[in-house]
Amino acid sequence: MNFIALFLSISLFSLISGAMAGCSVTDRAALLDFKASIVRDTTGILSSWVGTDCCDGWEGVDCNPQTGRVTSLQLERPHGVMKGTLSSSLGNLKFLQVLVVSGMKQITGTIPDSLSNLVHLTQLYLEDNMLQGRIPSNLSQLRSLMALSLNGNNFTGELPPQIGFISGLTQINFGRNRLVGAVPVTYRNLMKLQALDLSNNQFSGGIPSFLGKFQNLTLLDLSNNRFTGEIPVSIWGLSNLLDLYLCNNMLVGQVPSEIGNLRSLNSLSLSGNLLTGIIPDSIVKLQKLWYLNLSNNAFMGLPSGVENGLPSLLSIDLSYNKFQLGIIPNWIRNREMRDVHLAGCGIKGSPQAFAKPEALNSLNLSSNFLTGEINGFLTNMTNLVSLDLSKNRITSFISQFGKQTSPNLKWLDLSNNGMSGQIPSSISNLTGLKRLDLSRNQIKGIIPNSMGQMASLVWLDLSHNQLLGKIPETFAGLSKLGHVNFRVNKLCGEIPQKRPFNVFKAVAYAHNLCLCGNPMPPCKRL
Ligand SMILES: *[C@@H]1O[C@H](CO)[C@@H](O)[C@H](O)[C@H]1NC(C)=O
Ligand SMILES: *[C@@H]1O[C@H](CO)[C@@H](O)[C@H](O)[C@H]1NC(C)=O
Ligand SMILES: *[C@@H]1O[C@H](CO)[C@@H](O)[C@H](O)[C@H]1NC(C)=O
Ligand SMILES: *[C@@H]1O[C@H](CO)[C@@H](O)[C@H](O)[C@H]1NC(C)=O
Ligand SMILES: *[C@@H]1O[C@H](CO)[C@@H](O)[C@H](O)[C@H]1NC(C)=O
Ligand SMILES: *[C@@H]1O[C@H](CO)[C@@H](O)[C@H](O)[C@H]1NC(C)=O
Ligand SMILES: *[C@@H]1O[C@H](CO)[C@@H](O)[C@H](O)[C@H]1NC(C)=O
């Protein structure tokens, strides 16, 4: 009885006040059409779409309680898939303001033209599905649209110029599709843009200089396309820009001193272009820059007259340029950076130039002309995880690894140097080491027994040295090893007859004096 009374009073209340109108019949039918066009749903969302009131308990659906019209449809899942197509009936949800169908992975087909009827739409996100075809030009009828993202689909063709007339757009994301052609000139009207992501497509032509007029732009990502020509000077005037990614295009020319105007910049990647010249001193005005990637260009010089620029820098990649540094400028070496990637920069000097590395996480100085020794270099490197000094001219080996030596070091590559002397037995103090490469040096003496305590090792390369004696029996404890290489040494004696040593391929042991036992020929018993 009580339930019936409650039900009656609620219905009466809604009738009188008009405040709780149920879901509009039109909108419910449109949603059910959408549901019917999804043939498989492992997200579990659509199983909640039952009963007559779509405004009540239908996951992802929100209504205006006064009118019962659906105002927001947000279907978003990192896990699970929906397979099917986008029903054109979505165009009947006339009062929709927000439409999100993202991360469904297996929704195919095109964007229905009917979506251009949703004139109240302010946000349209159709990310990470498998939608294809062209971006419909009549989306330009969505004059209230502020955010448009079609990131991570399979759209082809050129950008519709008409989108340039949706002057309220603040966010555009067309990244990760197969779009081609130039950025239409009509896009110069999009003065309110805060984020423009066209990355990972096949766009071509020049970077339009009108982008430099979008003073509220905070993100500009044009990376991984085929843009050509010079970077327009206007781009360097975007003083609110936080992230600028132009990497992997075919851009030419130099970086002008106006780069100093990008006062808000956090991260800058110009890698993978054909840029040349000298990085201007004004770059030190980028007080907030923490990520700088200039790799794979033809840059020839770095600022050197500045002592302590770029105070926020944590990650720097200058690899594969035409730098002839001689020594590392102070503004790099005095910084407490986390990731330093200077592989292949033509750096001379010694690793000791990085004297204040307390914060350093990874240091890659591979393929330079570093000489001298690395003794003491690793001491107090408390955060260092990865050190790559391969392909240099380092001659003397570390003589003592103490307990304070880089306690977090996991990756040590000293291969392709001229290191002589012996492997110190204290190397076993690097207890967390997973990957050790000492190949292609002139290391002499025996392999220390203590290395058998380096139980974290999964990858060990001692090949192309002059090591003598046996592979220590203690190595039988290195059960995590998935790769070893002892080739081209002067080792002799029985290989530890235990997994994984007896099952590695014979090539890992070839060209030694007299290694024997599986996988090599049996040892000759006396
Ligand atoms: C969208 O544009 C196409 C071609 O431009 C046109 O045929 C169609 O009628 C338009 N649809 C709507 C709903 O405006
Ligand atoms: C993208 O669309 C093309 C046809 O236009 C199709 O051959 C290809 O398999 C699609 N790729 C994905 C990932 O859906
Ligand atoms: C830029 O942002 C400011 C502050 O949010 C705002 O007042 C201004 O109207 C915006 N400019 C444009 C062109 O949208
Ligand atoms: C720099 O950019 C290249 C892509 O051009 C990338 O491969 C590399 O990992 C980046 N370096 C760092 C340190 O992020
Ligand atoms: C160091 O840089 C080189 C060249 O970019 C690369 O091949 C190597 O993997 C890097 N080392 C580490 C430890 O990341
Ligand atoms: C390492 O740190 C300890 C304690 O902070 C300090 O006493 C020692 O001098 C440092 N060693 C080196 C080589 O910097
Ligand atoms: C490890 O380092 C300590 C000093 O920190 C030293 O006393 C010890 O001998 C080292 N271990 C080996 C195996 O050399």
Side-chain angles (χ1 to χ4, degrees):
M1 287 306 276
N2 280 344
F3 283 119
I4 291 172
L6 189 64
F7 176 70
L8 281 176
S9 61
I10 288 177
S11 328
L12 203 60
F13 175 75
S14 353
L15 273 178
I16 292 166
S17 68
M20 295 179 77
C23 155
S24 129
V25 176
T26 321
D27 288 0
R28 182 169 175 274
L31 291 172
L32 289 177
D33 281 352
F34 172 84
K35 182 175 174 176
S37 68
I38 301 298
V39 295
R40 196 164 91 97
D41 170 24
T42 67
T43 68
I45 294 175
L46 298 181
S47 61
S48 70
W49 290 17
V50 289
T52 50
D53 191 355
C54 73
C55 302
D56 181 15
W58 288 33
E59 192 176 340
V61 179
D62 277 306
C63 300
N64 176 333
Q66 264 86 43
T67 61
R69 302 305 301 247
V70 176
T71 53
S72 163
L73 177 59
Q74 298 192 50
L75 310 178
E76 199 166 9
R77 274 296 152 84
H79 305 295
V81 300
M82 283 190 192
K83 184 175 173 151
T85 55
L86 288 181
S87 165
S88 64
S89 298
L90 286 174
N92 297 336
L93 298 169
K94 291 237 159 47
F95 291 85
L96 211 54
Q97 291 164 19
V98 176
L99 176 57
V100 181
V101 182
S102 290
M104 299 309 170
K105 300 177 200 80
Q106 295 181 16
I107 296 183
T108 54
T110 54
I111 297 183
D113 262 346
S114 62
L115 289 199
S116 60
N117 298 328
L118 304 176
V119 292
H120 297 290
L121 217 53
T122 58
Q123 300 177 44
L124 176 58
Y125 290 89
L126 302 172
E127 300 179 340
D128 296 307
N129 296 299
M130 232 197 282
L131 296 167
Q132 62 196 50
R134 309 235 156 182
I135 299 174
S137 60
N138 34 20
L139 285 184
S140 64
Q141 291 168 28
L142 305 177
R143 289 302 162 89
S144 307
L145 208 57
M146 295 168 70
L148 172 59
S149 176
L150 305 176
N151 183 45
N153 283 286
N154 195 7
F155 289 109
T156 48
E158 303 198 3
L159 290 178
Q162 293 87 339
I163 300 281
F165 298 115
I166 315 178
S167 57
L169 276 173
T170 59
Q171 323 266 341
I172 288 184
N173 188 344
F174 293 145
R176 297 193 295 126
N177 281 288
R178 299 194 297 142
L179 298 163
V180 298
V183 180
V185 286
T186 51
Y187 284 37
R188 75 155 76 89
N189 300 312
L190 302 173
M191 295 292 287
K192 294 194 174 155
L193 270 190
Q194 293 166 11
L196 177 61
D197 185 344
L198 302 179
S199 65
N200 296 290
N201 282 287
Q202 291 149 36
F203 289 117
S204 54
I207 296 177
S209 69
F210 61 72
L211 296 181
K213 295 215 175 103
F214 301 168
Q215 275 304 319
N216 284 356
L217 209 56
T218 56
L219 166 74
L220 180 59
D221 189 348
L222 305 179
S223 61
N224 297 301
N225 279 291
R226 295 175 185 166
F227 286 109
T228 49
E230 301 200 0
I231 302 169
V233 171
S234 63
I235 299 292
W236 307 112
L238 289 167
S239 57
N240 289 309
L241 210 53
L242 300 175
D243 301 296
L244 177 59
Y245 303 115
L246 303 178
C247 52
N248 298 324
N249 281 289
M250 293 180 280
L251 302 168
V252 297
Q254 306 201 2
V255 173
S257 64
E258 283 85 348
I259 192 176
N261 297 333
L262 298 176
R263 285 184 304 271
S264 310
L265 208 61
N266 289 322
S267 46
L268 173 63
S269 181
L270 302 175
S271 63
N273 283 291
L274 305 162
L275 300 167
T276 182
I278 289 174
I279 305 296
D281 282 3
S282 60
I283 198 174
V284 304
K285 292 188 191 155
L286 309 185
Q287 299 279 303
K288 296 181 178 161
L289 195 72
W290 69 265
Y291 179 85
L292 176 62
N293 194 342
L294 303 176
S295 71
N296 286 288
N297 279 289
F299 288 119
M300 296 163 76
L302 286 168
S304 51
V306 291
E307 194 61 17
N308 275 316
L310 302 174
S312 307
L313 208 57
L314 294 173
S315 173
I316 185 167
D317 190 342
L318 305 176
S319 59
Y320 299 102
N321 276 288
K322 296 192 170 160
F323 294 121
Q324 281 299 330
L325 292 179
I327 55 158
I328 301 146
N330 283 343
W331 65 271
I332 297 179
R333 82 173 174 203
N334 286 345
R335 297 261 51 86
E336 294 188 353
M337 282 190 275
R338 282 199 212 133
D339 296 300
V340 179
H341 188 108
L342 305 175
C345 290
I347 297 174
K348 302 193 183 76
S350 89
Q352 257 74 7
F354 292 83
K356 278 177 51 183
E358 291 85 356
L360 205 61
N361 271 325
S362 85
L363 175 61
N364 193 339
L365 292 164
S366 173
S367 307
N368 282 293
F369 305 101
L370 299 170
T371 51
E373 52 168 42
I374 52 170
N375 203 6
F377 174 63
L378 288 169
T379 309
N380 289 351
M381 293 271 219
T382 35
N383 293 301
L384 194 66
V385 172
S386 160
L387 175 64
D388 191 341
L389 295 175
S390 62
K391 299 182 188 152
N392 278 286
R393 295 172 183 175
I394 293 163
T395 48
S396 102
F397 204 40
I398 299 164
S399 58
Q400 190 66 40
F401 294 86
K403 290 237 192 279
Q404 296 99 356
T405 310
S406 305
N408 291 309
L409 199 65
K410 293 196 165 60
W411 181 314
L412 179 59
D413 190 344
L414 300 172
S415 63
N416 285 281
N417 278 286
M419 291 191 306
S420 52
Q422 303 197 9
I423 303 176
S425 67
S426 60
I427 197 168
S428 63
N429 270 328
L430 299 177
T431 48
L433 209 60
K434 291 189 164 163
R435 186 173 166 123
L436 176 62
D437 193 343
L438 300 176
S439 64
R440 293 178 196 272
N441 281 288
Q442 284 142 42
I443 301 170
K444 301 183 179 63
I446 59 162
I447 303 173
N449 282 331
S450 63
M451 283 185 76
Q453 293 157 26
M454 301 172 75
S456 306
L457 277 180
V458 295
W459 205 100
L460 175 65
D461 194 339
L462 301 177
S463 65
H464 293 270
N465 280 294
Q466 293 159 33
L467 293 165
L468 302 169
K470 283 184 73 172
I471 297 173
E473 276 157 28
T474 54
F475 272 42
L478 303 179
S479 58
K480 289 189 185 154
L481 276 175
H483 172 96
V484 294
N485 195 350
F486 296 98
R487 275 170 71 83
V488 196
N489 275 290
K490 296 175 179 164
L491 296 167
C492 190
E494 188 172 40
I495 293 164
Q497 289 303 295
K498 191 169 178 234
R499 275 174 178 269
F501 290 91
N502 56 355
V503 295
F504 284 125
K505 294 226 161 66
V507 289
Y509 302 101
H511 301 289
N512 274 286
L513 274 188
C514 44
L515 283 177
C516 57
N518 283 329
M520 301 296 275
C523 298
K524 296 195 179 85
R525 302 282 168 198
L526 293 178

